[in-house]
Every structure is written in structure tokens, then in C-alpha cells.
Amino acid sequence: HCWWLLCLLLWGSSGCKESRHGPLSYALTTRNGDTEVMITMCERDAKEVEIPSNLDGYPVTQIWDGAFNACTQLTQITIPEGVVRVGEGAFMACPSLKSIAFPQTTTSIGGAAFMNCSRLEAVTIPNLEVHLGPETFRGCHALKEVRVAQRYHAKSELHRLGLRGRFAEVFESPRSIPQ
């Protein structure tokens, strides 16, 4: 796993420990004296996954790059409050995923996070300050509704996110997001 090498480089060998919870693999990481959980991988045949808000008594704060990549049968994912970062390509090539809602705590969604999620119809991102990486929605041809911050309504921003043509019409104002 690439995350293991990163853990070793950033926090040393005592900073990471891989564990399992159902279909999920995760690592305990220590940053600035605080222990957090990072979801590192999911079994490729998982269908419905609920990420717990705490594992081993520590908060889940990250979904690592490619953690759910090519989970071809994944239809539903529940992401808890407390998750701050979703890595690059985190849900890339999950063709059965139809909708996803992020918690208010999510501030960063990496590039290509949903690339080629061909059946993805709806995305809700309630945090007005969230950063969306490039090509976030490229290849998401079934998208009908994206609820996200107003600043992404500019045409250049929509193209950067991988939304072109009719896809630029799927964005809604943040005022329409239920609180």
C-alpha cells in the first residue's frame, strides 16, 4: 500500500498500524499528538458500506487515495461526520454507486474522486468551503443532481471538475441543501 510508505515517511513506524473492520482496512495515524483513523481500502466486492465515526476509540477523519477504487458492486456508502478529507480517486470506477452525501465536516475531496462512476446520479456536499480537486466528476454520465457551494457555478470551474455540456446544469444552489 502506498499509504504505508507515506505513514513511514511522515510519522515513522510507530505512527501507523493497519487494522480491519468488516470490509474496511484502516490505519491509526498520529499527527500533532492526536490519533486519528484513515480508511485505506475496502474489499472490492462490498455492496453497502457504513463507515463508523470512530474505530479503536479514535475518530475517522480521512478516506485515503483510491480506498474504494474499483469497488464495482458498491451501491451505497455512508460517510460519518468527522471525515475531513477524501483522497484522490477515492471512489474512482465504482460503476454501481448511485448517490453519495458528505458530512458538513468534509473540507477536501481529491481529484478524480468519482471518475468513471457511470451510474452516479446525485452528490450532496453541504460544506460551502469544500475544495474539489480536478476531474472530480469526469465520466459520471448519469449525474442529475450535484448540491455544492455556489463558487463552483462558474463555467471554468465546472470544466475543471470534469463537468461539460449538459452536466454543467446539474449544480444546485447551496440554499437547497437540507440542514
Side-chain angles (χ1 to χ4, degrees):
H1 290 76
C2 294
W3 68 266
W4 183 254
L5 180 58
L6 182 64
C7 279
L8 289 173
L9 292 172
L10 293 178
W11 300 294
S13 60
S14 63
C16 295
K17 173 188 148 196
E18 185 175 28
S19 300
R20 296 206 33 96
H21 176 81
L24 300 172
S25 293
Y26 64 95
L28 294 179
T29 64
T30 304
R31 279 191 304 171
N32 302 325
D34 294 325
T35 301
E36 302 173 341
V37 175
M38 167 177 45
I39 302 299
T40 57
M41 195 173 74
C42 185
E43 292 175 359
R44 298 298 175 230
D45 60 352
K47 293 182 175 137
E48 295 182 4
V49 176
E50 181 172 346
I51 298 173
S53 58
N54 287 284
L55 287 167
D56 291 341
Y58 300 104
V60 176
T61 60
Q62 296 183 59
I63 299 172
W64 193 246
D65 298 356
F68 291 85
N69 185 14
C71 289
T72 58
Q73 298 177 42
L74 184 67
T75 59
Q76 184 177 354
I77 180 85
T78 303
I79 300 172
E81 282 293 326
V83 171
V84 175
R85 179 187 177 274
V86 175
E88 293 187 14
F91 297 95
M92 183 188 295
C94 293
S96 300
L97 187 61
K98 290 191 176 182
S99 68
I100 193 164
F102 290 93
Q104 182 69 36
T105 54
T106 302
T107 58
S108 177
I109 298 174
F114 302 104
M115 184 180 276
N116 297 325
C117 291
S118 57
R119 291 189 187 124
L120 186 63
E121 295 177 358
V123 177
T124 301
I125 306 168
N127 187 334
L128 297 178
E129 299 301 319
V130 72
H131 168 76
L132 297 174
E135 304 293 329
T136 303
F137 301 109
R138 184 180 186 121
C140 297
H141 303 297
L143 265 180
K144 295 176 185 169
E145 176 181 50
V146 178
R147 295 179 179 192
V148 74
Q150 187 73 28
R151 70 183 175 144
Y152 290 105
H153 286 224
K155 189 174 183 177
S156 62
E157 273 300 296
L158 296 176
H159 282 231
R160 187 183 70 77
L161 297 175
L163 293 168
R164 292 165 178 82
R166 72 172 184 86
F167 301 115
E169 299 169 7
V170 301
F171 274 77
E172 292 189 6
S173 166
R175 290 181 295 280
S176 66
I177 299 173
Q179 298 298 319

